[in-house]
Amino acid sequence: MNQTIEVSDLNVSYYGNQALKDVSFSLQTGNLIGIIGPNGAGKSTLIKAMLHLIPIESGTISINEQPVKNLRRNIAYVPQRSDIDWDFPITVKNTVLLGTYPNIKLFRRPTKADKEWALYCLEKVGMGNFANRQIAELSGGQQQRVFLARALAQKTDFLLLDEPFVGIDAASEEMMINILRSLRDEGKTVMVVNHDLSKVEAYFDELILLNHTLVATGPVHDVIRPEIMSKAYHTNLNMIQQMGVFS
């Protein structure tokens, strides 16, 4: 049975500048949801605010009337690549093994089963042969696959990904979106900050369109209408078409 993600009157500011203003929406779980909007529109801020990774001025965020902060262990998060210290000395398999830690009892170490699960998740994203490599030795697409594997290792019902397709190769992107679709088909909820408008129809069931405030939300074809997109991007239809929408 689908539940509801509710964001109500969300306001977030950075250093006196309002990043999100009065954002409210309600979406059903069990979908692949894209978060789109111009650069600097507050897309990443929305993800981080929903996870309480940044302070919120006002507003509420809940799933099935439960505060998200109470459900944090059931939410996996893949940050932007630019937010990660890729020089940190850690192997691929240990990076993924970190995903099992929320489910390990206090003062316990990962078990053999935990390690086997981490390796299974690596195999699922096509990175099993890289288990003993240092994370810094991988390409951008390989690194992003590893962090998706870490998210899978958490065994959560919700996955939030912040621009996972930026700077990666086409093969990695195709593999990742296919995995996200399969997770959706299993009933999980996946929210993705996405910058490539040409992919939204192929990738997502629902969209959240932001430009500091909520412009529109709902099924993809209801959101990417010319008058709505032009309003969000403050440009004309021709420019929107050049971005790959309505082609």
Side-chain angles (χ1 to χ4, degrees), residues 130-168:
F130 296 81
N132 294 314
R133 295 272 193 95
Q134 291 288 318
I135 192 77
E137 298 173 358
L138 306 182
S139 69
Q142 290 169 337
Q143 289 172 338
Q144 203 70 317
R145 289 194 205 185
V146 171
F147 269 72
L148 177 57
R150 187 184 72 166
L152 297 178
Q154 291 180 239
K155 300 181 181 179
T156 64
D157 291 324
F158 300 88
L159 287 88
L160 277 61
L161 301 93
D162 195 351
E163 298 203 2
F165 307 128
V166 170
I168 70 171

PDB file of all heavy atoms in Angstrom, residues 130-168:
ATOM      1  N   PHE A 130      36.286  -4.895  -8.764  1.00  0.00           N
ATOM      2  CA  PHE A 130      37.045  -3.748  -8.256  1.00  0.00           C
ATOM      3  C   PHE A 130      37.036  -3.688  -6.728  1.00  0.00           C
ATOM      4  O   PHE A 130      37.440  -2.685  -6.149  1.00  0.00           O
ATOM      5  CB  PHE A 130      36.460  -2.445  -8.816  1.00  0.00           C
ATOM      6  CG  PHE A 130      36.576  -2.314 -10.303  1.00  0.00           C
ATOM      7  CD1 PHE A 130      35.668  -2.938 -11.147  1.00  0.00           C
ATOM      8  CD2 PHE A 130      37.588  -1.565 -10.876  1.00  0.00           C
ATOM      9  CE1 PHE A 130      35.769  -2.822 -12.528  1.00  0.00           C
ATOM     10  CE2 PHE A 130      37.704  -1.433 -12.248  1.00  0.00           C
ATOM     11  CZ  PHE A 130      36.795  -2.068 -13.076  1.00  0.00           C
ATOM     12  N   ALA A 131      36.610  -4.760  -6.067  1.00  0.00           N
ATOM     13  CA  ALA A 131      36.380  -4.736  -4.621  1.00  0.00           C
ATOM     14  C   ALA A 131      37.592  -4.290  -3.820  1.00  0.00           C
ATOM     15  O   ALA A 131      37.461  -3.579  -2.812  1.00  0.00           O
ATOM     16  CB  ALA A 131      35.907  -6.105  -4.141  1.00  0.00           C
ATOM     17  N   ASN A 132      38.782  -4.661  -4.257  1.00  0.00           N
ATOM     18  CA  ASN A 132      39.987  -4.355  -3.482  1.00  0.00           C
ATOM     19  C   ASN A 132      40.714  -3.096  -3.945  1.00  0.00           C
ATOM     20  O   ASN A 132      41.774  -2.768  -3.409  1.00  0.00           O
ATOM     21  CB  ASN A 132      40.943  -5.551  -3.527  1.00  0.00           C
ATOM     22  CG  ASN A 132      40.362  -6.765  -2.811  1.00  0.00           C
ATOM     23  OD1 ASN A 132      39.844  -6.661  -1.707  1.00  0.00           O
ATOM     24  ND2 ASN A 132      40.432  -7.923  -3.457  1.00  0.00           N
ATOM     25  N   ARG A 133      40.152  -2.405  -4.907  1.00  0.00           N
ATOM     26  CA  ARG A 133      40.746  -1.153  -5.369  1.00  0.00           C
ATOM     27  C   ARG A 133      40.485  -0.034  -4.365  1.00  0.00           C
ATOM     28  O   ARG A 133      39.499  -0.049  -3.634  1.00  0.00           O
ATOM     29  CB  ARG A 133      40.142  -0.734  -6.718  1.00  0.00           C
ATOM     30  CG  ARG A 133      40.451  -1.673  -7.860  1.00  0.00           C
ATOM     31  CD  ARG A 133      41.739  -1.341  -8.556  1.00  0.00           C
ATOM     32  NE  ARG A 133      41.852  -2.066  -9.819  1.00  0.00           N
ATOM     33  CZ  ARG A 133      41.498  -1.574 -10.990  1.00  0.00           C
ATOM     34  NH1 ARG A 133      41.008  -0.343 -11.077  1.00  0.00           N
ATOM     35  NH2 ARG A 133      41.627  -2.300 -12.084  1.00  0.00           N
ATOM     36  N   GLN A 134      41.357   0.951  -4.381  1.00  0.00           N
ATOM     37  CA  GLN A 134      41.088   2.181  -3.635  1.00  0.00           C
ATOM     38  C   GLN A 134      40.036   2.981  -4.400  1.00  0.00           C
ATOM     39  O   GLN A 134      40.060   3.043  -5.633  1.00  0.00           O
ATOM     40  CB  GLN A 134      42.368   3.017  -3.487  1.00  0.00           C
ATOM     41  CG  GLN A 134      43.408   2.397  -2.572  1.00  0.00           C
ATOM     42  CD  GLN A 134      43.003   2.452  -1.107  1.00  0.00           C
ATOM     43  OE1 GLN A 134      42.486   3.454  -0.623  1.00  0.00           O
ATOM     44  NE2 GLN A 134      43.222   1.353  -0.388  1.00  0.00           N
ATOM     45  N   ILE A 135      39.137   3.613  -3.678  1.00  0.00           N
ATOM     46  CA  ILE A 135      38.051   4.355  -4.322  1.00  0.00           C
ATOM     47  C   ILE A 135      38.592   5.466  -5.219  1.00  0.00           C
ATOM     48  O   ILE A 135      38.011   5.785  -6.255  1.00  0.00           O
ATOM     49  CB  ILE A 135      37.080   4.925  -3.242  1.00  0.00           C
ATOM     50  CG1 ILE A 135      35.782   5.445  -3.880  1.00  0.00           C
ATOM     51  CG2 ILE A 135      37.734   5.999  -2.406  1.00  0.00           C
ATOM     52  CD1 ILE A 135      34.824   4.357  -4.280  1.00  0.00           C
ATOM     53  N   ALA A 136      39.752   6.033  -4.860  1.00  0.00           N
ATOM     54  CA  ALA A 136      40.330   7.134  -5.638  1.00  0.00           C
ATOM     55  C   ALA A 136      40.834   6.670  -7.001  1.00  0.00           C
ATOM     56  O   ALA A 136      41.037   7.506  -7.895  1.00  0.00           O
ATOM     57  CB  ALA A 136      41.473   7.784  -4.861  1.00  0.00           C
ATOM     58  N   GLU A 137      41.037   5.373  -7.179  1.00  0.00           N
ATOM     59  CA  GLU A 137      41.579   4.849  -8.430  1.00  0.00           C
ATOM     60  C   GLU A 137      40.522   4.684  -9.519  1.00  0.00           C
ATOM     61  O   GLU A 137      40.855   4.397 -10.667  1.00  0.00           O
ATOM     62  CB  GLU A 137      42.266   3.498  -8.184  1.00  0.00           C
ATOM     63  CG  GLU A 137      43.457   3.569  -7.245  1.00  0.00           C
ATOM     64  CD  GLU A 137      44.002   2.192  -6.903  1.00  0.00           C
ATOM     65  OE1 GLU A 137      43.424   1.182  -7.364  1.00  0.00           O
ATOM     66  OE2 GLU A 137      45.010   2.140  -6.177  1.00  0.00           O
ATOM     67  N   LEU A 138      39.268   4.873  -9.172  1.00  0.00           N
ATOM     68  CA  LEU A 138      38.182   4.606 -10.106  1.00  0.00           C
ATOM     69  C   LEU A 138      37.834   5.836 -10.937  1.00  0.00           C
ATOM     70  O   LEU A 138      38.116   6.968 -10.556  1.00  0.00           O
ATOM     71  CB  LEU A 138      36.936   4.158  -9.332  1.00  0.00           C
ATOM     72  CG  LEU A 138      37.097   2.975  -8.379  1.00  0.00           C
ATOM     73  CD1 LEU A 138      35.755   2.642  -7.756  1.00  0.00           C
ATOM     74  CD2 LEU A 138      37.677   1.766  -9.100  1.00  0.00           C
ATOM     75  N   SER A 139      37.171   5.584 -12.064  1.00  0.00           N
ATOM     76  CA  SER A 139      36.628   6.681 -12.867  1.00  0.00           C
ATOM     77  C   SER A 139      35.391   7.251 -12.187  1.00  0.00           C
ATOM     78  O   SER A 139      34.856   6.662 -11.229  1.00  0.00           O
ATOM     79  CB  SER A 139      36.257   6.170 -14.260  1.00  0.00           C
ATOM     80  OG  SER A 139      35.125   5.301 -14.177  1.00  0.00           O
ATOM     81  N   GLY A 140      34.918   8.379 -12.694  1.00  0.00           N
ATOM     82  CA  GLY A 140      33.735   9.003 -12.102  1.00  0.00           C
ATOM     83  C   GLY A 140      32.518   8.089 -12.131  1.00  0.00           C
ATOM     84  O   GLY A 140      31.779   7.982 -11.142  1.00  0.00           O
ATOM     85  N   GLY A 141      32.290   7.420 -13.256  1.00  0.00           N
ATOM     86  CA  GLY A 141      31.157   6.520 -13.351  1.00  0.00           C
ATOM     87  C   GLY A 141      31.280   5.332 -12.418  1.00  0.00           C
ATOM     88  O   GLY A 141      30.297   4.892 -11.808  1.00  0.00           O
ATOM     89  N   GLN A 142      32.497   4.810 -12.287  1.00  0.00           N
ATOM     90  CA  GLN A 142      32.724   3.684 -11.373  1.00  0.00           C
ATOM     91  C   GLN A 142      32.506   4.106  -9.927  1.00  0.00           C
ATOM     92  O   GLN A 142      31.905   3.371  -9.135  1.00  0.00           O
ATOM     93  CB  GLN A 142      34.132   3.143 -11.576  1.00  0.00           C
ATOM     94  CG  GLN A 142      34.337   2.435 -12.902  1.00  0.00           C
ATOM     95  CD  GLN A 142      35.796   2.137 -13.192  1.00  0.00           C
ATOM     96  OE1 GLN A 142      36.701   2.782 -12.656  1.00  0.00           O
ATOM     97  NE2 GLN A 142      36.042   1.156 -14.044  1.00  0.00           N
ATOM     98  N   GLN A 143      32.984   5.278  -9.568  1.00  0.00           N
ATOM     99  CA  GLN A 143      32.786   5.776  -8.201  1.00  0.00           C
ATOM    100  C   GLN A 143      31.300   5.921  -7.887  1.00  0.00           C
ATOM    101  O   GLN A 143      30.847   5.543  -6.798  1.00  0.00           O
ATOM    102  CB  GLN A 143      33.496   7.118  -8.030  1.00  0.00           C
ATOM    103  CG  GLN A 143      35.007   7.022  -8.004  1.00  0.00           C
ATOM    104  CD  GLN A 143      35.684   8.378  -8.026  1.00  0.00           C
ATOM    105  OE1 GLN A 143      35.105   9.373  -8.453  1.00  0.00           O
ATOM    106  NE2 GLN A 143      36.927   8.419  -7.588  1.00  0.00           N
ATOM    107  N   GLN A 144      30.549   6.433  -8.844  1.00  0.00           N
ATOM    108  CA  GLN A 144      29.125   6.632  -8.595  1.00  0.00           C
ATOM    109  C   GLN A 144      28.398   5.296  -8.473  1.00  0.00           C
ATOM    110  O   GLN A 144      27.474   5.147  -7.677  1.00  0.00           O
ATOM    111  CB  GLN A 144      28.528   7.472  -9.727  1.00  0.00           C
ATOM    112  CG  GLN A 144      27.257   8.200  -9.352  1.00  0.00           C
ATOM    113  CD  GLN A 144      27.477   9.325  -8.369  1.00  0.00           C
ATOM    114  OE1 GLN A 144      28.212   9.218  -7.397  1.00  0.00           O
ATOM    115  NE2 GLN A 144      26.813  10.436  -8.599  1.00  0.00           N
ATOM    116  N   ARG A 145      28.837   4.302  -9.222  1.00  0.00           N
ATOM    117  CA  ARG A 145      28.254   2.969  -9.074  1.00  0.00           C
ATOM    118  C   ARG A 145      28.522   2.413  -7.675  1.00  0.00           C
ATOM    119  O   ARG A 145      27.659   1.764  -7.072  1.00  0.00           O
ATOM    120  CB  ARG A 145      28.851   2.015 -10.108  1.00  0.00           C
ATOM    121  CG  ARG A 145      28.427   2.255 -11.535  1.00  0.00           C
ATOM    122  CD  ARG A 145      28.797   1.045 -12.370  1.00  0.00           C
ATOM    123  NE  ARG A 145      28.975   1.346 -13.768  1.00  0.00           N
ATOM    124  CZ  ARG A 145      29.199   0.430 -14.695  1.00  0.00           C
ATOM    125  NH1 ARG A 145      29.304  -0.844 -14.347  1.00  0.00           N
ATOM    126  NH2 ARG A 145      29.347   0.764 -15.964  1.00  0.00           N
ATOM    127  N   VAL A 146      29.730   2.646  -7.161  1.00  0.00           N
ATOM    128  CA  VAL A 146      30.083   2.158  -5.828  1.00  0.00           C
ATOM    129  C   VAL A 146      29.188   2.799  -4.770  1.00  0.00           C
ATOM    130  O   VAL A 146      28.717   2.127  -3.846  1.00  0.00           O
ATOM    131  CB  VAL A 146      31.569   2.421  -5.519  1.00  0.00           C
ATOM    132  CG1 VAL A 146      31.884   2.123  -4.056  1.00  0.00           C
ATOM    133  CG2 VAL A 146      32.456   1.571  -6.419  1.00  0.00           C
ATOM    134  N   PHE A 147      28.932   4.086  -4.909  1.00  0.00           N
ATOM    135  CA  PHE A 147      28.078   4.744  -3.923  1.00  0.00           C
ATOM    136  C   PHE A 147      26.622   4.318  -4.052  1.00  0.00           C
ATOM    137  O   PHE A 147      25.894   4.296  -3.058  1.00  0.00           O
ATOM    138  CB  PHE A 147      28.236   6.266  -4.007  1.00  0.00           C
ATOM    139  CG  PHE A 147      29.313   6.767  -3.080  1.00  0.00           C
ATOM    140  CD1 PHE A 147      30.641   6.542  -3.356  1.00  0.00           C
ATOM    141  CD2 PHE A 147      28.984   7.416  -1.902  1.00  0.00           C
ATOM    142  CE1 PHE A 147      31.634   6.972  -2.485  1.00  0.00           C
ATOM    143  CE2 PHE A 147      29.962   7.840  -1.023  1.00  0.00           C
ATOM    144  CZ  PHE A 147      31.293   7.619  -1.317  1.00  0.00           C
ATOM    145  N   LEU A 148      26.212   3.956  -5.253  1.00  0.00           N
ATOM    146  CA  LEU A 148      24.881   3.358  -5.392  1.00  0.00           C
ATOM    147  C   LEU A 148      24.858   1.999  -4.701  1.00  0.00           C
ATOM    148  O   LEU A 148      23.887   1.663  -4.011  1.00  0.00           O
ATOM    149  CB  LEU A 148      24.508   3.222  -6.862  1.00  0.00           C
ATOM    150  CG  LEU A 148      23.165   2.534  -7.150  1.00  0.00           C
ATOM    151  CD1 LEU A 148      22.016   3.255  -6.446  1.00  0.00           C
ATOM    152  CD2 LEU A 148      22.916   2.463  -8.660  1.00  0.00           C
ATOM    153  N   ALA A 149      25.929   1.223  -4.838  1.00  0.00           N
ATOM    154  CA  ALA A 149      26.019  -0.072  -4.143  1.00  0.00           C
ATOM    155  C   ALA A 149      25.956   0.124  -2.633  1.00  0.00           C
ATOM    156  O   ALA A 149      25.316  -0.667  -1.929  1.00  0.00           O
ATOM    157  CB  ALA A 149      27.308  -0.790  -4.536  1.00  0.00           C
ATOM    158  N   ARG A 150      26.624   1.155  -2.133  1.00  0.00           N
ATOM    159  CA  ARG A 150      26.558   1.438  -0.688  1.00  0.00           C
ATOM    160  C   ARG A 150      25.126   1.722  -0.258  1.00  0.00           C
ATOM    161  O   ARG A 150      24.673   1.269   0.798  1.00  0.00           O
ATOM    162  CB  ARG A 150      27.459   2.618  -0.336  1.00  0.00           C
ATOM    163  CG  ARG A 150      27.574   2.849   1.176  1.00  0.00           C
ATOM    164  CD  ARG A 150      28.378   4.072   1.519  1.00  0.00           C
ATOM    165  NE  ARG A 150      27.664   5.307   1.214  1.00  0.00           N
ATOM    166  CZ  ARG A 150      28.024   6.510   1.647  1.00  0.00           C
ATOM    167  NH1 ARG A 150      29.110   6.634   2.401  1.00  0.00           N
ATOM    168  NH2 ARG A 150      27.341   7.582   1.316  1.00  0.00           N
ATOM    169  N   ALA A 151      24.394   2.484  -1.093  1.00  0.00           N
ATOM    170  CA  ALA A 151      22.992   2.766  -0.783  1.00  0.00           C
ATOM    171  C   ALA A 151      22.159   1.487  -0.801  1.00  0.00           C
ATOM    172  O   ALA A 151      21.298   1.280   0.068  1.00  0.00           O
ATOM    173  CB  ALA A 151      22.433   3.785  -1.780  1.00  0.00           C
ATOM    174  N   LEU A 152      22.416   0.622  -1.773  1.00  0.00           N
ATOM    175  CA  LEU A 152      21.694  -0.655  -1.830  1.00  0.00           C
ATOM    176  C   LEU A 152      21.969  -1.501  -0.592  1.00  0.00           C
ATOM    177  O   LEU A 152      21.079  -2.197  -0.085  1.00  0.00           O
ATOM    178  CB  LEU A 152      22.099  -1.436  -3.078  1.00  0.00           C
ATOM    179  CG  LEU A 152      21.782  -0.810  -4.434  1.00  0.00           C
ATOM    180  CD1 LEU A 152      22.302  -1.694  -5.565  1.00  0.00           C
ATOM    181  CD2 LEU A 152      20.305  -0.561  -4.595  1.00  0.00           C
ATOM    182  N   ALA A 153      23.212  -1.427  -0.097  1.00  0.00           N
ATOM    183  CA  ALA A 153      23.597  -2.227   1.074  1.00  0.00           C
ATOM    184  C   ALA A 153      22.812  -1.844   2.319  1.00  0.00           C
ATOM    185  O   ALA A 153      22.717  -2.641   3.260  1.00  0.00           O
ATOM    186  CB  ALA A 153      25.096  -2.096   1.329  1.00  0.00           C
ATOM    187  N   GLN A 154      22.245  -0.650   2.338  1.00  0.00           N
ATOM    188  CA  GLN A 154      21.493  -0.200   3.510  1.00  0.00           C
ATOM    189  C   GLN A 154      20.120  -0.860   3.626  1.00  0.00           C
ATOM    190  O   GLN A 154      19.483  -0.776   4.671  1.00  0.00           O
ATOM    191  CB  GLN A 154      21.336   1.323   3.477  1.00  0.00           C
ATOM    192  CG  GLN A 154      22.639   2.064   3.695  1.00  0.00           C
ATOM    193  CD  GLN A 154      22.467   3.574   3.670  1.00  0.00           C
ATOM    194  OE1 GLN A 154      23.070   4.269   2.870  1.00  0.00           O
ATOM    195  NE2 GLN A 154      21.641   4.100   4.557  1.00  0.00           N
ATOM    196  N   LYS A 155      19.635  -1.470   2.541  1.00  0.00           N
ATOM    197  CA  LYS A 155      18.342  -2.168   2.553  1.00  0.00           C
ATOM    198  C   LYS A 155      17.206  -1.249   3.002  1.00  0.00           C
ATOM    199  O   LYS A 155      16.397  -1.605   3.866  1.00  0.00           O
ATOM    200  CB  LYS A 155      18.394  -3.400   3.456  1.00  0.00           C
ATOM    201  CG  LYS A 155      19.414  -4.442   3.059  1.00  0.00           C
ATOM    202  CD  LYS A 155      19.380  -5.646   3.995  1.00  0.00           C
ATOM    203  CE  LYS A 155      20.411  -6.692   3.627  1.00  0.00           C
ATOM    204  NZ  LYS A 155      20.400  -7.843   4.555  1.00  0.00           N
ATOM    205  N   THR A 156      17.135  -0.071   2.396  1.00  0.00           N
ATOM    206  CA  THR A 156      16.106   0.898   2.757  1.00  0.00           C
ATOM    207  C   THR A 156      14.957   0.888   1.757  1.00  0.00           C
ATOM    208  O   THR A 156      15.074   0.364   0.650  1.00  0.00           O
ATOM    209  CB  THR A 156      16.692   2.314   2.819  1.00  0.00           C
ATOM    210  OG1 THR A 156      17.150   2.691   1.508  1.00  0.00           O
ATOM    211  CG2 THR A 156      17.845   2.387   3.802  1.00  0.00           C
ATOM    212  N   ASP A 157      13.858   1.516   2.148  1.00  0.00           N
ATOM    213  CA  ASP A 157      12.704   1.662   1.255  1.00  0.00           C
ATOM    214  C   ASP A 157      12.737   2.971   0.477  1.00  0.00           C
ATOM    215  O   ASP A 157      11.927   3.164  -0.431  1.00  0.00           O
ATOM    216  CB  ASP A 157      11.406   1.596   2.058  1.00  0.00           C
ATOM    217  CG  ASP A 157      11.148   0.209   2.615  1.00  0.00           C
ATOM    218  OD1 ASP A 157      11.484  -0.777   1.921  1.00  0.00           O
ATOM    219  OD2 ASP A 157      10.622   0.102   3.743  1.00  0.00           O
ATOM    220  N   PHE A 158      13.649   3.872   0.871  1.00  0.00           N
ATOM    221  CA  PHE A 158      13.736   5.179   0.223  1.00  0.00           C
ATOM    222  C   PHE A 158      15.186   5.466  -0.158  1.00  0.00           C
ATOM    223  O   PHE A 158      16.098   5.264   0.653  1.00  0.00           O
ATOM    224  CB  PHE A 158      13.229   6.288   1.160  1.00  0.00           C
ATOM    225  CG  PHE A 158      11.799   6.114   1.573  1.00  0.00           C
ATOM    226  CD1 PHE A 158      11.461   5.354   2.686  1.00  0.00           C
ATOM    227  CD2 PHE A 158      10.768   6.692   0.842  1.00  0.00           C
ATOM    228  CE1 PHE A 158      10.142   5.175   3.063  1.00  0.00           C
ATOM    229  CE2 PHE A 158       9.449   6.516   1.212  1.00  0.00           C
ATOM    230  CZ  PHE A 158       9.130   5.762   2.323  1.00  0.00           C
ATOM    231  N   LEU A 159      15.392   5.940  -1.398  1.00  0.00           N
ATOM    232  CA  LEU A 159      16.726   6.327  -1.855  1.00  0.00           C
ATOM    233  C   LEU A 159      16.641   7.746  -2.406  1.00  0.00           C
ATOM    234  O   LEU A 159      15.798   8.036  -3.261  1.00  0.00           O
ATOM    235  CB  LEU A 159      17.245   5.389  -2.936  1.00  0.00           C
ATOM    236  CG  LEU A 159      17.670   3.988  -2.498  1.00  0.00           C
ATOM    237  CD1 LEU A 159      16.474   3.046  -2.536  1.00  0.00           C
ATOM    238  CD2 LEU A 159      18.773   3.450  -3.398  1.00  0.00           C
ATOM    239  N   LEU A 160      17.521   8.615  -1.935  1.00  0.00           N
ATOM    240  CA  LEU A 160      17.616   9.987  -2.405  1.00  0.00           C
ATOM    241  C   LEU A 160      18.999  10.194  -3.005  1.00  0.00           C
ATOM    242  O   LEU A 160      20.010   9.964  -2.332  1.00  0.00           O
ATOM    243  CB  LEU A 160      17.385  10.984  -1.256  1.00  0.00           C
ATOM    244  CG  LEU A 160      15.923  11.305  -0.896  1.00  0.00           C
ATOM    245  CD1 LEU A 160      15.171  10.063  -0.437  1.00  0.00           C
ATOM    246  CD2 LEU A 160      15.860  12.381   0.193  1.00  0.00           C
ATOM    247  N   LEU A 161      19.037  10.592  -4.265  1.00  0.00           N
ATOM    248  CA  LEU A 161      20.302  10.736  -4.983  1.00  0.00           C
ATOM    249  C   LEU A 161      20.427  12.155  -5.522  1.00  0.00           C
ATOM    250  O   LEU A 161      19.513  12.661  -6.181  1.00  0.00           O
ATOM    251  CB  LEU A 161      20.391   9.734  -6.140  1.00  0.00           C
ATOM    252  CG  LEU A 161      20.296   8.252  -5.777  1.00  0.00           C
ATOM    253  CD1 LEU A 161      18.851   7.760  -5.869  1.00  0.00           C
ATOM    254  CD2 LEU A 161      21.161   7.402  -6.700  1.00  0.00           C
ATOM    255  N   ASP A 162      21.567  12.780  -5.256  1.00  0.00           N
ATOM    256  CA  ASP A 162      21.792  14.170  -5.651  1.00  0.00           C
ATOM    257  C   ASP A 162      22.681  14.225  -6.897  1.00  0.00           C
ATOM    258  O   ASP A 162      23.890  14.010  -6.813  1.00  0.00           O
ATOM    259  CB  ASP A 162      22.444  14.936  -4.497  1.00  0.00           C
ATOM    260  CG  ASP A 162      22.383  16.438  -4.681  1.00  0.00           C
ATOM    261  OD1 ASP A 162      21.993  16.902  -5.772  1.00  0.00           O
ATOM    262  OD2 ASP A 162      22.720  17.173  -3.726  1.00  0.00           O
ATOM    263  N   GLU A 163      22.066  14.447  -8.049  1.00  0.00           N
ATOM    264  CA  GLU A 163      22.757  14.538  -9.340  1.00  0.00           C
ATOM    265  C   GLU A 163      23.702  13.351  -9.583  1.00  0.00           C
ATOM    266  O   GLU A 163      24.900  13.522  -9.824  1.00  0.00           O
ATOM    267  CB  GLU A 163      23.501  15.875  -9.467  1.00  0.00           C
ATOM    268  CG  GLU A 163      22.566  17.073  -9.421  1.00  0.00           C
ATOM    269  CD  GLU A 163      23.147  18.321 -10.065  1.00  0.00           C
ATOM    270  OE1 GLU A 163      24.270  18.260 -10.586  1.00  0.00           O
ATOM    271  OE2 GLU A 163      22.465  19.353 -10.048  1.00  0.00           O
ATOM    272  N   PRO A 164      23.165  12.149  -9.553  1.00  0.00           N
ATOM    273  CA  PRO A 164      24.021  10.963  -9.696  1.00  0.00           C
ATOM    274  C   PRO A 164      24.587  10.774 -11.096  1.00  0.00           C
ATOM    275  O   PRO A 164      25.544  10.002 -11.270  1.00  0.00           O
ATOM    276  CB  PRO A 164      23.068   9.812  -9.348  1.00  0.00           C
ATOM    277  CG  PRO A 164      21.709  10.332  -9.710  1.00  0.00           C
ATOM    278  CD  PRO A 164      21.753  11.786  -9.361  1.00  0.00           C
ATOM    279  N   PHE A 165      24.010  11.435 -12.102  1.00  0.00           N
ATOM    280  CA  PHE A 165      24.442  11.203 -13.480  1.00  0.00           C
ATOM    281  C   PHE A 165      25.436  12.242 -13.991  1.00  0.00           C
ATOM    282  O   PHE A 165      25.842  12.187 -15.160  1.00  0.00           O
ATOM    283  CB  PHE A 165      23.224  11.164 -14.408  1.00  0.00           C
ATOM    284  CG  PHE A 165      22.165  10.187 -13.976  1.00  0.00           C
ATOM    285  CD1 PHE A 165      20.838  10.595 -13.834  1.00  0.00           C
ATOM    286  CD2 PHE A 165      22.479   8.872 -13.685  1.00  0.00           C
ATOM    287  CE1 PHE A 165      19.861   9.703 -13.427  1.00  0.00           C
ATOM    288  CE2 PHE A 165      21.508   7.966 -13.274  1.00  0.00           C
ATOM    289  CZ  PHE A 165      20.194   8.390 -13.143  1.00  0.00           C
ATOM    290  N   VAL A 166      25.829  13.180 -13.141  1.00  0.00           N
ATOM    291  CA  VAL A 166      26.764  14.220 -13.574  1.00  0.00           C
ATOM    292  C   VAL A 166      28.173  13.644 -13.692  1.00  0.00           C
ATOM    293  O   VAL A 166      28.682  13.004 -12.772  1.00  0.00           O
ATOM    294  CB  VAL A 166      26.762  15.408 -12.583  1.00  0.00           C
ATOM    295  CG1 VAL A 166      27.910  16.370 -12.888  1.00  0.00           C
ATOM    296  CG2 VAL A 166      25.440  16.141 -12.649  1.00  0.00           C
ATOM    297  N   GLY A 167      28.810  13.867 -14.845  1.00  0.00           N
ATOM    298  CA  GLY A 167      30.207  13.494 -15.025  1.00  0.00           C
ATOM    299  C   GLY A 167      30.487  12.018 -15.113  1.00  0.00           C
ATOM    300  O   GLY A 167      31.606  11.575 -14.833  1.00  0.00           O
ATOM    301  N   ILE A 168      29.478  11.221 -15.513  1.00  0.00           N
ATOM    302  CA  ILE A 168      29.714   9.787 -15.626  1.00  0.00           C
ATOM    303  C   ILE A 168      29.493   9.344 -17.069  1.00  0.00           C
ATOM    304  O   ILE A 168      28.877  10.045 -17.869  1.00  0.00           O
ATOM    305  CB  ILE A 168      28.837   8.966 -14.661  1.00  0.00           C
ATOM    306  CG1 ILE A 168      27.362   8.987 -15.085  1.00  0.00           C
ATOM    307  CG2 ILE A 168      28.995   9.464 -13.230  1.00  0.00           C
ATOM    308  CD1 ILE A 168      26.496   8.033 -14.290  1.00  0.00           C
TER     309      ILE A 168
END
